[in-house]
Amino acid sequence: MKKQINKIAITGGTHGNELTGVYLINKFTKNPDLVKRDSFKTIFMHTNLEAIKQCTRYIDKDLNRTFTKDGLNNPDLDTYEDILAKEINQKIGPKGSDNPNVDFIMDLHSTTSNMGLSICISTEDKLSWQVAAYVKECIPEIHIFSWKGDTGDTSFVSSIPPSGFTIEVGSIPQGVLRADMFFETEKIIQTILNFFELYNNEKLKKVYTEIEIYDNVKSVDFPRDKDGNIEAMVHPDLQENGYYKLKKGDPIFVTLDGEYICYSDLDGLYALFINEAAYYEKGVAMCLAEKKIISI
Ligand SMILES: [Zn+2]
């Protein structure tokens, strides 16, 4: 018999300057009935309180890259976020446990990149993919981005319980609330909660067998000089066009002097997370993904 889902977590403020999630948690705190369902318990929380207070992405290090099993088990790692990650892991994990405190998590994020609504999914877990497929059916404009992350062992908040994923919406500047994206994100949350109410009551109409995804292939950094200074900007053709289908010869960067730098990789890859502010320090100007339909 399939496993009943007993507890779901909604987390916001993992990056303290991404206000959509921060204020949705504020809204649910004032009115918990909004996320209440009969067949499971919903908990919600701000994850990085100090970063929220300072309206910054993080204090010492990116909390959303801090949930590797090695890091969580290493007592010598003692930055603010390392300690915080261990506390969060006890609340909604522990990661890898057969009996975690939470069955499913949705971690709320926003991006400065104009890519609309996305689910970023990093797990092979079958239930997570069923949820993603259900959301895609209810909200067809959402994109499903499959990405294992940049640290090897998945280190996202969404990797703590056995099932879950990250919700990314944009474009939203850091430290800014945008009403349309706020309500779109709330709609995704409600859709996910609806899924689990149907799932627990065995009222889902079907099992999904396939889904269209954007499968991460690689990331592309800005052209930089030997000291690491950026020498070219994202080309205006790409700037506002998340999930842009690239072909050889498309201008993707423009130097400070106005010269174009053209794409020379595989035809047909899609560019996303284009010009995400938080990725300048990660050496990522955009991610490239392959669009495909996979079996789930
Ligand atoms: Zn984020």
Side-chain angles (χ1 to χ4, degrees):
M1 209 179 96
K2 73 172 183 168
K3 186 173 172 282
Q4 187 85 358
I5 295 301
N6 296 316
K7 207 185 231 185
I8 289 180
I10 308 169
T11 47
T14 294
H15 295 135
N17 55 7
E18 296 176 2
L19 301 192
T20 312
V22 173
Y23 279 81
L24 278 163
I25 300 300
N26 289 350
K27 177 171 176 171
F28 302 149
T29 304
K30 278 197 177 142
N31 192 353
D33 283 352
L34 291 171
V35 289
K36 202 169 165 220
R37 296 292 188 279
D38 291 336
S39 72
F40 57 86
K41 187 172 164 51
T42 308
I43 62 163
F44 41 86
M45 59 188 281
H46 288 139
T47 37
N48 198 333
L49 280 173
E50 192 55 37
I52 293 168
K53 207 185 323 175
Q54 296 187 26
C55 197
T56 184
R57 183 172 173 91
Y58 54 78
I59 304 302
D60 292 323
K61 65 190 280 194
D62 190 337
L63 181 62
N64 209 30
R65 300 292 185 277
T66 310
F67 290 88
T68 61
K69 276 186 200 150
D70 283 352
L72 292 168
N73 291 321
N74 184 348
D76 295 335
L77 294 179
D78 60 358
T79 70
Y80 173 74
E81 274 83 7
D82 282 312
I83 293 166
L84 182 59
K86 292 178 178 84
E87 290 169 8
I88 294 168
N89 187 45
Q90 289 311 310
K91 279 185 200 156
I92 56 181
K95 182 167 175 166
S97 162
D98 291 334
N99 190 23
N101 290 323
V102 163
D103 300 306
F104 181 92
I105 188 169
M106 53 189 114
D107 191 34
L108 311 179
H109 288 255
S110 62
T111 168
T112 64
S113 178
N114 188 20
M115 51 194 271
L117 313 177
S118 301
I119 285 173
C120 297
I121 183 163
S122 312
T123 175
E124 309 287 329
D125 170 66
K126 283 189 176 308
L127 178 61
S128 304
W129 282 96
Q130 288 297 308
V131 184
Y134 177 81
V135 175
K136 175 83 181 158
E137 185 176 74
C138 297
I139 307 172
E141 66 269 29
I142 203 164
H143 296 93
I144 313 294
F145 178 45
S146 174
W147 185 42
K148 292 281 189 289
D150 44 19
T151 57
D153 177 12
T154 307
S155 53
F156 303 130
V157 169
S158 64
S159 73
I160 306 169
S163 303
F165 47 66
T166 300
I167 297 168
E168 283 278 3
V169 299
S171 64
I172 306 178
Q174 295 176 340
V176 168
L177 260 177
R178 231 187 104 151
D180 53 352
M181 295 288 172
F182 180 91
F183 292 117
E184 297 273 17
T185 306
E186 189 174 19
K187 187 168 130 189
I188 298 168
I189 294 169
Q190 293 297 345
T191 304
I192 293 168
L193 298 176
N194 292 346
F195 171 93
F196 283 109
E197 188 72 345
L198 293 168
Y199 175 88
N200 278 345
N201 291 305
E202 303 201 346
K203 284 187 174 162
L204 278 169
K205 290 203 178 77
K206 61 178 165 185
V207 175
Y208 298 89
T209 56
E210 57 181 33
I211 187 169
E212 180 190 277
I213 66 163
Y214 293 82
D215 195 14
N216 185 62
V217 173
K218 63 170 80 165
S219 57
V220 178
D221 192 10
F222 292 94
R224 295 180 191 259
D225 67 16
K226 61 179 177 20
D227 297 320
N229 298 308
I230 285 173
E231 291 188 303
M233 304 166 275
V234 166
H235 189 276
D237 283 356
L238 264 70
Q239 175 58 45
E240 298 301 329
N241 287 313
Y243 296 97
Y244 185 96
K245 189 176 184 182
L246 288 164
K247 58 180 190 314
K248 277 194 185 69
D250 284 344
I252 54 171
F253 294 109
V254 53
T255 68
L256 307 190
D257 297 321
E259 277 172 37
Y260 291 177
I261 297 170
C262 294
Y263 179 72
S264 60
D265 212 318
L266 290 173
D267 272 336
L269 293 183
Y270 289 75
L272 61 146
F273 279 115
I274 298 164
N275 216 2
E276 158 58 43
Y279 290 175
Y280 278 57
E281 67 178 23
K282 294 184 194 296
V284 175
M286 65 190 74
C287 297
L288 301 184
E290 187 184 350
K291 186 179 181 177
K292 53 168 91 158
I293 292 174
I294 59 162
S295 299
I296 56 174

